[in-house]
Amino acid sequence: MRGIIKGANAGVPCFGRLMGFGFIYAWGVCMWNTGALDILGRGEPLNESGVWLASAVVTPFACLVFAALEEMKEGAFGTPRIAVVASICTVAGTVLAAAFPSVPLPLGFAVQIIASVFTGTGPVVLAVLWMVQLSRVDSAVVEEALPLSFLVPLVCGVIVPSLGFTAAVAITALMPCVACLLLVSVRSAIDDGRLPCAEPPFASYDEEPSRARILPTFVAAFFLFALSCPLPFLTGVNEVTGTAWLSLAGNALA
């Protein structure tokens, strides 16, 4: 592959680690878009539940909060312990989101809130951490590895729902852990020179791009994301059960 050849020290195993980014999306597909985690056995995706709606509302605000934290404390997302905490929160949120229908009220309501916060923030942190590390890798490698990483949610979304509730919950909960481990290994590979580094950002410019040019794009992305996440829940458009073939097809085309 072109990206592998370009970096003298970049081997196939290191290139494969970059596909760990896909496990974040695989978690989302198996978690929300299939009926794999439906404890009641009706095959209903969790994106038809209140916990998904609350999580979808938390996510864009979590993006803003963590962006602000990174701005105030530059490099705050650089420590591996942040990735570990984020993956643990995501695992806990996954289990609680799957279990809450069997928990009696009012405890069940508290479980939903905790699950929503954990599933709405943990994957955001993991995604940000991955983007930080990917920005350090030569763009030629990223351009090949990142599209391939979307094969991960495609495969997981087909296989996991057929494994039964307990196995599906366990495997889905472990996906953020895999993303975390591969993230740490990618960071190590970059530091050791086993993955080719990207050119310094804005190397040909005397100053960084104006925030006035970045802000409109960010605001547009924020509102599109904030509105599109709850849309299936609010419109009732998600009435399919079992494997969400349209979502999987979307991931394959991504």
Side-chain angles (χ1 to χ4, degrees), residues 55-131:
S55 178
V57 171
V58 168
T59 294
F61 288 101
C63 290
L64 286 175
V65 170
F66 291 125
L69 288 174
E70 177 67 13
E71 178 72 16
M72 289 187 296
K73 296 183 178 181
E74 187 175 351
F77 287 103
T79 57
R81 68 171 65 95
I82 300 295
V84 173
V85 171
S87 61
I88 291 174
C89 287
T90 309
V91 169
T94 302
V95 175
L96 292 175
F100 85 86
S102 64
V103 179
L105 296 175
L107 182 59
F109 180 75
V111 169
Q112 289 186 61
I113 296 299
I114 297 172
S116 300
V117 172
F118 282 178
T119 58
T121 56
V124 168
V125 178
L126 287 174
V128 170
L129 289 169
W130 264 101
M131 294 311 296

Side-chain angles (χ1 to χ4, degrees), residues 20 23-24 26-28 30 91 156-157 160 170-180:
F23 280 95
I24 302 173
W27 171 86
C30 295
V91 169
C156 291
V160 171
I171 293 174
T172 303
L174 287 174
M175 288 179 186
C177 298
V178 175
C180 176

Side-chain angles (χ1 to χ4, degrees), residues 9-243:
N9 297 321
V12 174
C14 291
F15 181 87
R17 292 174 196 173
L18 292 173
M19 294 185 69
F21 184 71
F23 280 95
I24 302 173
Y25 288 90
W27 171 86
V29 169
C30 295
M31 176 79 178
W32 305 120
N33 299 110
T34 72
L37 273 65
D38 176 28
I39 195 172
L40 301 178
R42 294 177 297 194
E44 295 180 355
L46 287 181
N47 61 12
E48 297 180 10
S49 68
V51 68
W52 180 84
L53 177 59
S55 178
V57 171
V58 168
T59 294
F61 288 101
C63 290
L64 286 175
V65 170
F66 291 125
L69 288 174
E70 177 67 13
E71 178 72 16
M72 289 187 296
K73 296 183 178 181
E74 187 175 351
F77 287 103
T79 57
R81 68 171 65 95
I82 300 295
V84 173
V85 171
S87 61
I88 291 174
C89 287
T90 309
V91 169
T94 302
V95 175
L96 292 175
F100 85 86
S102 64
V103 179
L105 296 175
L107 182 59
F109 180 75
V111 169
Q112 289 186 61
I113 296 299
I114 297 172
S116 300
V117 172
F118 282 178
T119 58
T121 56
V124 168
V125 178
L126 287 174
V128 170
L129 289 169
W130 264 101
M131 294 311 296
V132 168
Q133 296 305 318
L134 288 174
S135 70
R136 299 175 60 203
V137 180
D138 185 272
S139 60
V141 177
V142 175
E143 287 168 2
E144 293 179 350
L146 207 57
L148 285 175
S149 72
F150 283 93
L151 293 174
V152 177
L154 177 64
V155 173
C156 291
V158 171
I159 295 176
V160 171
S162 65
L163 301 178
F165 176 76
T166 302
V169 172
I171 293 174
T172 303
L174 287 174
M175 288 179 186
C177 298
V178 175
C180 176
L181 290 173
L182 291 175
L183 174 69
V184 174
S185 71
V186 165
R187 182 186 179 187
S188 175
I190 297 171
D191 293 340
D192 295 343
R194 287 173 287 155
L195 275 172
C197 293
E199 294 294 327
F202 316 115
S204 60
Y205 298 92
D206 295 331
E207 59 182 15
E208 292 185 1
S210 168
R211 293 187 183 185
R213 286 182 288 170
I214 297 176
L215 186 60
T217 303
F218 177 81
V219 171
F222 171 77
F223 279 104
L224 285 172
F225 187 76
L227 292 173
S228 64
C229 276
L231 195 60
F233 180 87
L234 295 175
T235 61
V237 73
N238 267 320
E239 297 181 356
V240 294
T241 58
T243 301

